[in-house]
Amino acid sequence: MEITEVKVYDIEECVMYSGLSHSANGDPLFNLKRARMLGHATTGSGHDVFLSGITVSMNVKATHIWWMQFMRYSFQNIVTSQSKMHQVMEFDINIQSNEYVSENTRHEVQRLKDIHLNEQSEESFNRVIYNLPMGLELKARVRTNFLQLKTIYGQRKSHKLKEWADFCSWMKTIDHYGLFIGGGDGHE
């Protein structure tokens, strides 16, 4: 897994407006202590909702199996991504696959690609696409927010897929993440 080009947006604004529900005149008040307390509230309590305004954008290179699991989260957007449909014939299966993809699988995909280059049929193309390994690595630009990352951390920090452990460890390195979220489970 590789995560690059990380940008975090609207931290100051979200901290400032996190206490709006307690403002009689509607004026914002920057209160870091309040925001920290709200950010550490129990996931799902609703008290940490201001975290949804802190946006995080990044490039992620991960396996097909990780992407399938990541896409179940509703507060993430894949802005753009590598296309298997458009680029599969250009992929070098040895470079695009992680270390868990067997040599037999790599050879079979290459064999199917060679057949498709000869036949150029829909059938031969489908054989290539449907035989790509789950360890195929693809890159995408992603946008999410601190609230969603907090949820992901709580659900995936002990997941048996190594990429989730890597992703959860990476989350702790995001600017200001620990200040508002800590370990991601509402605790330091």
Side-chain angles (χ1 to χ4, degrees):
M1 169 170 270
E2 181 181 300
I3 302 167
T4 60
E5 303 292 327
V6 178
K7 303 237 188 278
V8 179
Y9 302 96
D10 292 335
I11 289 179
E12 288 183 30
E13 294 80 1
C14 289
V15 168
M16 189 177 319
Y17 285 95
S18 66
L20 198 56
S21 61
H22 294 283
S23 174
N25 61 7
D27 289 339
L29 175 64
F30 189 89
N31 186 326
L32 193 55
K33 183 178 178 183
R34 178 194 55 240
R36 184 178 167 84
M37 180 187 70
L38 292 172
H40 286 266
T42 303
T43 300
S45 68
H47 297 294
D48 55 359
V49 74
F50 86 97
L51 294 172
S52 67
I54 302 173
T55 306
V56 181
S57 293
M58 67 196 115
N59 292 337
V60 179
K61 181 180 177 186
T63 61
H64 184 72
I65 193 166
W66 185 87
W67 282 114
M68 287 176 59
Q69 293 176 5
F70 179 74
M71 285 189 268
R72 72 181 292 266
Y73 293 99
S74 58
F75 296 101
Q76 56 79 17
N77 294 90
I78 296 176
V79 178
T80 187
S81 64
Q82 279 184 296
S83 171
K84 290 181 287 191
M85 297 301 288
H86 296 298
Q87 293 298 309
V88 68
M89 297 308 293
E90 305 300 320
F91 288 163
D92 181 333
I93 193 68
N94 293 311
I95 293 172
Q96 292 286 142
S97 297
N98 72 5
E99 67 271 21
Y100 300 110
V101 176
S102 72
E103 285 302 313
N104 288 343
T105 301
R106 293 168 195 250
H107 289 300
E108 179 62 8
V109 170
Q110 188 58 54
R111 186 183 75 78
L112 293 171
K113 284 173 64 174
D114 292 342
I115 290 170
H116 176 66
L117 287 173
N118 249 353
E119 294 180 8
Q120 295 291 313
S121 70
E122 183 178 326
E123 178 74 18
S124 64
F125 181 78
N126 284 333
R127 288 193 193 286
V128 174
I129 287 293
Y130 287 112
N131 279 282
L132 291 173
M134 294 301 277
L136 182 74
E137 294 180 324
L138 300 168
K139 192 176 203 174
R141 182 75 180 166
V142 175
R143 187 183 72 230
T144 188
N145 62 63
F146 269 27
L147 186 61
Q148 190 62 40
L149 291 174
K150 180 180 179 181
T151 300
I152 289 171
Y153 185 92
Q155 293 177 352
R156 301 291 179 157
K157 65 184 174 189
S158 300
H159 197 277
K160 58 184 167 184
L161 187 64
K162 183 186 178 304
E163 284 169 299
W164 281 117
D166 294 345
F167 191 75
C168 288
S169 292
W170 165 80
M171 276 192 253
K172 294 178 182 180
T173 70
I174 301 172
D175 287 344
H176 305 293
Y177 185 83
L179 181 63
F180 300 119
I181 301 174
D185 51 9
H187 305 289
E188 288 293 323

